[in-house]
């Protein structure tokens, strides 16, 4: 039987507790755009326009907010170069690099199992539809 060691007595985090600050990290990392931005930045530094073109479907507002959230969390570094117009580049920090493998694994798992998920959803919907049919 698997048991989780309670680390609270030793000053550790326990994300299962609503008061645990690590939930904010989980909330950040569970965002699809965060996962995709981190993956897009993994090969190296990119400018805003390059990121926007790479991340098909993201709005300028969402990309701006995601980059700000990642910068605030210490996962992305933003560099502004004095030019006209100003040049801004983004790259992963060492902390961002550390989580990038996890984000890539989640993205790859999603791509590899999309058909399994779709089949399960169709089966669920079919069963739910049968339950609603009058006998």
């Amino acid at each position: 039987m698997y048991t989780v060691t309670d680390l609270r007595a030793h000053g550790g985090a326990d994300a299962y507790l609503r008061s645990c600050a690590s939930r904010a990290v989980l909330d950040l990392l569970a965002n699809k755009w965060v996962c995709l931005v981190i993956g897009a930045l993994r090969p190296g530094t990119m400018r805003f326009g390059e990121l926007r073109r790479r991340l098909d479907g993201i709005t300028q507002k969402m990309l701006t907010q995601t980059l700000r959230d990642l910068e605030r969390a210490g996962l992305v570094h933003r560099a502004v170069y004095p030019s006209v117009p100003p040049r801004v580049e983004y790259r992963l920090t060492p902390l961002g690099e550390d989580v990038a493998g996890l984000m890539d694994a989640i993205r790859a798992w999603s791509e590899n199992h999309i058909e399994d998920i779709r089949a399960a959803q169709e089966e669920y919907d079919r069963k739910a539809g049968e339950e609603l049919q009058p006998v």
Side-chain angles (χ1 to χ4, degrees):
M1 175 179 179
Y2 177 74
T3 58
V4 177
T5 304
D6 187 345
L7 299 175
R8 291 175 290 170
H10 308 288
D14 185 350
Y16 291 99
L17 297 173
R18 71 177 138 197
S19 62
C20 186
S22 67
R23 282 195 179 186
V25 176
L26 289 172
D27 189 42
L28 174 70
L29 296 179
N31 179 296
K32 77 175 175 187
W33 292 120
V34 165
C35 183
L36 294 172
V37 166
I38 289 174
L41 286 173
R42 195 163 191 205
T45 302
M46 294 180 83
R47 294 178 70 179
F48 186 91
E50 293 174 304
L51 278 167
R52 186 143 184 236
R53 285 187 294 279
R54 178 69 179 114
L55 300 168
D56 187 33
I58 195 169
T59 64
Q60 180 172 335
K61 180 180 177 181
M62 182 55 67
L63 180 54
T64 298
Q65 185 61 55
T66 301
L67 287 166
R68 283 183 185 154
D69 291 345
L70 290 171
E71 183 182 8
R72 183 171 182 259
L75 300 174
V76 166
H77 174 76
R78 178 178 180 260
V80 181
Y81 299 94
S83 62
V84 179
R87 190 176 93 221
V88 181
E89 295 180 340
Y90 299 90
R91 66 173 170 76
L92 293 177
T93 64
L95 192 60
E97 291 283 350
D98 191 41
V99 78
L102 175 62
M103 296 289 101
D104 278 351
I106 292 170
R107 181 198 44 79
W109 188 93
S110 299
E111 291 171 347
N112 291 332
H113 293 282
I114 185 59
E115 293 307 319
D116 299 325
I117 298 296
R118 284 185 178 156
Q121 290 171 335
E122 289 172 7
E123 178 66 13
Y124 179 91
D125 293 345
R126 184 188 63 72
K127 287 180 180 177
E130 288 175 359
E131 291 174 4
L132 295 175
Q133 297 294 322
V135 182

